[in-house]
Each structure stands twice: as C-alpha cells, then as structure tokens.
Amino acid sequence: MESAYTPQRFDYGDHPSQYAELWVPDARKHTAIAIIIHGGFWRQAYGAEYGRPLASDLRDRGYVVWNLEYRRTNGGDGGWPETFLDVAAGLDGLESALESSGLEPGPRVGIGHSAGGHLALWAAGRHLLPPAAPGALPETLRCLDAVISQAGVLDLALAESLALSDHAARLLMRCTPEEDPVRWQWADPADRISPGIPLLMLHGTTDEDVPVELGRSFARRAMAAGGPVDYLEFEGDHYGLITPGDKAWEMCVEGLGALEANGLGGE
C-alpha cells in the first residue's frame, strides 16, 4: 500500500528539474541525513520518482531524507556542466531547507545508484577541484560526510571506453575524453580516487547495466590509495539495490547504520 505522505519540495532554481524533496519522519531516530541521488545514466527518462521508494522506506525507519532531482540529458537540458551545477546547488541547499523546517543538521550520507553514484562521489570531492571547475568548493568545505555507491558509475572514462548504455557518459559530457581531457578530469571521480570520506560500495555480480568489474577496478584503486573504502559484492542484479525489501537494499540500510554508528562528523 502506497504511503499518503507528501514530502516538502524545495526549489533551488527555476528549471522544473531543479528541486529536492525533504522527507521528515514522525519521530527522528537518526542524526544522519540520507541524500538520495537517483540513476538512469543521467537521462531525462529517469527522475526523482526512482528515489521515492527508498526515501519512504528510510523515513519510516526514522531518517531525514533529501531526494535530489537535477537536469538530465536526452531532452532534459542537462549534461556538462548543468547536471553537475545542479547536484552542487541541490546539496548546498540542504542546510537552509533543514533550518526552515526546524530540523537539526547531521552527518550527510550520499546514496547514489548507478549514475547517481557517480554524481554522489563527484560531489564528495568538490573540495579537491580547481577553483575554475564547475561546482568547486573551497578546500575547507565538504558537502557530504560519506557516500554509499549502489553499483555506481565511479569511473567515467572507463564507462565511456566500455560504451555503457550507448555511450551515455559521452552524451553527458558532450564530447569524448580526447576532445576535452580537462573537462573529463573535472567530472570523473576516478581522478580524485580518495576524497577523504568513507565510501561504501555495493555491486551485484550479475549486474548487466554496470558490470561488476567496473566496481572491482575502482575499489582496488581506491584501497591502494589508502582511502576509507569498503567494497561488498552480492549475488544479484542492478535493481535490487533500489528495491525496498530486497536483500541488496537491506545491505544499503545496514551500511548507512554502520556509517552513522562509526561517528561521521557533520558540520
């Protein structure tokens, strides 16, 4: 049975896709705030509705949730740099939304599925970007305190070389890596392999959308770089991670609880 609850909508721009939804539990049981960034290979056909079942489930568990929408490709006015600027603005708008709703801030955990995993980890490293890069933050600031990657496309260049989803990464970037290598460096979390916050990666071994080897490759590099990374595989596909009740989604919820229990430092 679908919940009758209606989240609060906060617009961070004038475009119809520039908004986020704040889901507030009847009784807040957790200090951590879950920030959901949906996937869909950055395409317009897939929107914030894919994050709502997760937001509803986490709200029922006592979490405050920020379900973020952004401009996308294929008719959604997104791509480079609009999609990145939107994710940055949507995350930066959380503080004022909490304040206006009378909610205390807390550690911010980005939960990103597929392309949303890419955007979450990119955002986590905004303080490592040069000032000229879209979405860059000063070195002293952070917009996320941890990331849970649900089969995330964390290596943008590798995704392009594998032609994932008919070269969805190239469509996002509006060029190839050879045509504008600096743009791709700014957009690719794999070029900032360890943003200095905990990263939990989950990947299904039968994932046909984002091959498990992409996750394994990134995890090996991140661990070699000394980053605080946990990598978990499970027997399953791409979509159990965003299906409440599925064992893969329960792994995400358990990971969120463990991150909070380990003492994330909110600002």
Side-chain angles (χ1 to χ4, degrees):
M1 181 176 178
E2 189 172 334
S3 171
Y5 176 79
T6 301
Q8 303 173 59
R9 172 173 168 144
F10 290 86
D11 295 326
Y12 60 83
D14 296 329
H15 192 278
S17 293
Q18 291 178 315
Y19 71 90
E21 299 169 343
L22 185 65
W23 296 67
V24 182
D26 295 331
R28 187 175 181 181
K29 301 176 183 177
H30 303 275
T31 57
I33 298 168
I35 300 170
I36 295 174
I37 307 180
H38 70 82
F41 279 108
W42 310 280
R43 290 189 172 100
Q44 173 69 8
Y46 308 94
E49 66 273 9
Y50 284 87
R52 287 173 189 147
L54 312 186
S56 180
D57 185 72
L58 290 174
R59 175 188 175 272
D60 290 346
R61 297 173 191 257
Y63 285 97
V64 173
V65 185
W66 188 241
N67 185 33
L68 180 59
E69 187 58 287
Y70 51 90
R71 284 175 287 180
R72 287 144 285 149
T73 62
N74 276 60
D77 299 322
W80 177 270
E82 290 84 5
T83 296
F84 297 84
L85 291 171
D86 282 3
V87 170
L91 290 171
D92 293 346
L94 173 59
E95 184 177 355
S96 62
L98 294 172
E99 184 177 356
S100 68
S101 302
L103 297 169
E104 290 294 323
R108 301 147 298 181
V109 181
I111 304 174
H113 179 243
S114 194
H118 157 258
L119 294 170
L121 195 57
W122 168 83
R126 289 168 60 199
H127 63 288
L128 300 175
L129 290 168
L137 277 176
E139 292 182 8
T140 56
L141 297 182
R142 307 286 186 275
C143 66
L144 291 174
D145 298 296
V147 168
I148 298 175
S149 169
Q150 304 168 303
V153 187
L154 305 186
D155 191 325
L156 204 60
L158 180 55
E160 168 59 16
S161 70
L162 296 173
L164 293 191
S165 191
D166 195 21
H167 290 283
R170 186 187 304 181
L171 181 63
L172 171 73
M173 298 306 299
R174 296 194 171 114
C175 67
T176 67
E178 294 74 25
E179 288 168 337
D180 194 337
V182 172
R183 177 186 300 188
W184 279 75
Q185 289 168 6
W186 289 351
D188 197 343
D191 280 292
R192 291 164 298 282
I193 198 75
S194 179
I197 64 169
L199 169 63
L200 171 62
M201 299 176 60
L202 299 108
H203 218 120
T205 55
T206 60
D207 194 323
E208 296 181 356
D209 295 81
V210 180
V212 68
E213 184 51 45
L214 192 147
R216 291 171 180 168
S217 172
F218 187 93
R220 285 193 296 266
R221 291 175 57 196
M223 291 175 183
V229 180
D230 285 319
Y231 176 74
L232 300 176
E233 285 186 6
F234 59 92
E235 186 178 349
D237 63 10
H238 194 59
Y239 300 99
L241 289 160
I242 54 170
T243 304
D246 191 282
K247 63 177 183 179
W249 169 244
E250 290 301 320
M251 291 173 68
C252 297
V253 175
E254 291 171 9
L256 176 59
L259 285 167
E260 182 177 26
N262 288 336
L264 295 175
E267 291 179 359

